Amino acid sequence: MQPKAQISNIKIMKQSIKYLIIALLGIFSQASLHAQFGCTLLDACGDINPSGGFPSGTAVSFCEGETVIFANTTTNADSTYFNWGDGVTEGFAGTPDGVHVYNIQDTCLSGGFVQLPIVMTVVRHCPAGVSRNCLISFIKIKVKPLPDFAPTDILCTNVPIDFDNNTCENGSNTTYKWTVSTGFMDTTETITQTFVTPGVYSVTLTATNGCGPESQIHSFYVKGPPQVDSILADAQPASGCVPVKVIFSAIVTDISASNGYEWTVVPQNPCSNCYFFTDSTTKDSPSPHIIFTQAGTYQVCLEGSNECGEESLCFTIVVFSPPGVTLTPPPPQCNSLDYTPNPVFSGSITSYTWNFPLATPPVSSNLQNPGIIHYEALTDIVQDTATLLISGPCGDSLLRIPITVTPKV
């Protein structure tokens, strides 16, 4: 396995321009190139003449990743050193051929190649010292494409998403292949995709030039419009009696906790200051705390939103208050009384229980108004204490009604 090396982008560009000019002008002899590349000649053991290079008629340009063979035909050296121009230097006994694989760090190159020098240094040792000489050649290393793409900023279901191709082709005749995790494939330069279901998708762009393919893959999440599945309410106290604090929450999908919530409260009957947000929560909180101060029916609605749309859901809450009643008892009467109660009710009431034990006849009723109650006092005075028991979610209230009827003297 031959060693590989990577060169930084800036170093590649600077070196490539410099060496390309040198190679194109061809104005430097091997002797002058020695000075350019720090090759010091020594001849203590006599002249040593390096020879070799690329065979006549073969290309001096290679693709990165290909095996490069630099022939060494020197006959009078006992060791050889190769500086491949990419930061790799190797030393060997004798005069073997140099074998190397270039691995150019991903970069965008003008013309799609980098020009590099190969310096082969041959050495011979003897009792008198060392002889050393160099052979310098230039090689072009072509690189693969550098694929690059990005989707549009907003990734929503049922919205066309453009994928911009920003690939550096590093040469010409570059072809493209797109592969999407949905099974879609295309060979155009750019694509547009529409996803109907929220989820994570992957897109791969493979760019291919004369040196082979390179791929880039992106995974991303496509959002759908928000979903408000249900609203939950926790009343404290559980009876829902004013003043009651209700903690609301919601089961949602794809709603931002920072700016995707908007709660509204709509009383069935208009009222003033009948509710307010508390515990440092607001209409924009994911879980607002609301205190209701007046009984009634309220619609509490959540509108959830994100960059792909919005959705609303409402919840009906009924708030109760303690039951109450006022009633004017009848004045005392002689002989007989026909009494029609005129109660004024307040609060939350679910049941009524009237009792007139001394009426003629005795009356018990579960109606809101029992109608006309008849009393007669033929021989003895009638002193009755009628009662009205009203009940509701917030408790009971008992009203006593004095009734007096005297016989005619």
Side-chain angles (χ1 to χ4, degrees):
M1 177 67 69
Q2 295 299 319
K4 299 182 180 181
Q6 292 186 336
I7 312 175
S8 70
N9 297 357
I10 296 176
K11 187 175 181 181
I12 284 178
M13 298 305 295
K14 288 182 177 179
Q15 289 183 346
S16 181
I17 293 172
K18 173 184 175 182
Y19 301 146
L20 181 60
I21 293 173
I22 292 174
L24 290 176
L25 292 179
I27 59 175
F28 294 98
S29 65
Q30 281 290 318
S32 61
L33 287 175
H34 291 171
Q36 290 285 330
F37 296 100
C39 180
T40 302
L41 302 183
L42 300 174
D43 60 358
C45 301
D47 291 341
I48 184 170
N49 298 309
S51 63
F54 300 108
S56 176
T58 63
V60 292
S61 64
F62 296 83
C63 288
E64 61 172 327
E66 289 185 340
T67 299
V68 176
I69 299 177
F70 191 88
N72 184 1
T73 57
T74 307
T75 58
N76 58 346
D78 54 40
S79 58
T80 305
Y81 300 88
F82 291 95
N83 184 333
W84 296 101
D86 60 357
V88 174
T89 299
E90 302 171 289
F92 304 94
T95 56
D97 294 339
V99 181
H100 188 59
V101 175
Y102 287 90
N103 183 23
I104 307 300
Q105 184 178 0
D106 288 345
T107 189
C108 189
L109 299 175
S110 176
F113 67 90
V114 58
Q115 183 99 10
L116 296 173
I118 298 176
V119 180
M120 184 180 75
T121 302
V122 292
V123 178
R124 184 170 74 248
H125 298 82
C126 65
V130 175
S131 290
R132 179 171 59 203
N133 204 343
C134 301
L135 176 64
I136 300 170
S137 298
F138 292 91
I139 187 173
K140 287 182 181 180
I141 302 299
K142 298 177 291 183
V143 297
K144 296 177 182 180
L146 188 62
D148 182 36
F149 72 96
T152 52
D153 291 337
I154 298 179
L155 304 177
C156 299
T157 56
N158 299 308
V159 175
I161 300 172
D162 296 324
F163 290 87
D164 297 328
N165 188 341
N166 304 310
T167 296
C168 174
E169 296 186 343
N170 278 331
S172 59
N173 300 321
T174 300
T175 60
Y176 298 98
K177 179 182 178 181
W178 297 86
T179 305
V180 184
S181 56
T182 59
F184 175 85
M185 295 178 62
D186 199 1
T187 56
T188 56
E189 187 169 338
T190 61
I191 62 170
T192 299
Q193 287 285 282
T194 300
F195 301 92
V196 298
T197 304
V200 177
Y201 296 88
S202 63
V203 175
T204 302
L205 171 61
T206 301
T208 305
N209 65 11
C211 286
E214 284 287 356
S215 296
Q216 184 182 70
I217 182 170
H218 283 307
S219 293
F220 51 90
Y221 180 71
V222 177
K223 282 186 178 182
Q227 296 179 355
V228 183
D229 298 318
S230 62
I231 294 176
L232 308 176
D234 178 19
Q236 301 172 0
S239 63
C241 297
V242 294
V244 58
K245 179 168 76 173
V246 182
I247 300 174
F248 291 94
S249 59
I251 298 176
V252 300
T253 303
D254 282 336
I255 295 181
S256 169
S258 60
N259 58 9
Y261 291 81
E262 183 175 359
W263 296 85
T264 57
V265 181
V266 180
Q268 189 176 64
N269 298 312
C271 59
S272 177
N273 300 320
C274 48
Y275 70 91
F276 59 89
F277 291 87
T278 188
D279 298 337
S280 300
T281 64
T282 69
K283 66 180 183 65
D284 302 318
S285 300
S287 179
H289 300 187
I290 303 176
I291 290 181
F292 296 89
T293 59
Q294 295 184 30
T297 300
Y298 298 82
Q299 285 283 325
V300 180
C301 299
L302 168 62
E303 181 180 272
S305 63
N306 62 21
E307 59 268 38
C308 300
E310 57 275 328
E311 183 176 86
S312 296
L313 185 66
C314 293
F315 181 87
T316 300
I317 183 168
V318 180
V319 177
F320 306 105
S321 61
V325 60
T326 58
L327 183 147
T328 302
Q333 298 290 319
C334 292
N335 197 37
S336 66
L337 168 67
D338 287 319
Y339 174 51
T340 301
N342 58 344
V344 177
F345 297 105
S346 62
S348 305
I349 303 172
T350 56
S351 67
Y352 307 83
T353 303
W354 296 87
N355 278 299
F356 299 87
L358 300 182
T360 308
V363 174
S364 293
S365 175
N366 293 322
L367 298 177
Q368 184 174 348
N369 194 310
I372 300 173
I373 308 299
H374 182 69
Y375 281 87
E376 287 186 2
L378 299 178
T379 59
D380 298 318
I381 188 170
V382 177
Q383 289 186 316
D384 196 7
T385 301
T387 58
L388 168 60
L389 176 66
I390 53 176
S391 300
C394 300
D396 301 329
S397 179
L398 179 65
L399 177 67
R400 291 177 172 84
I401 310 163
I403 298 175
T404 301
V405 181
T406 59
K408 193 172 184 180
V409 179

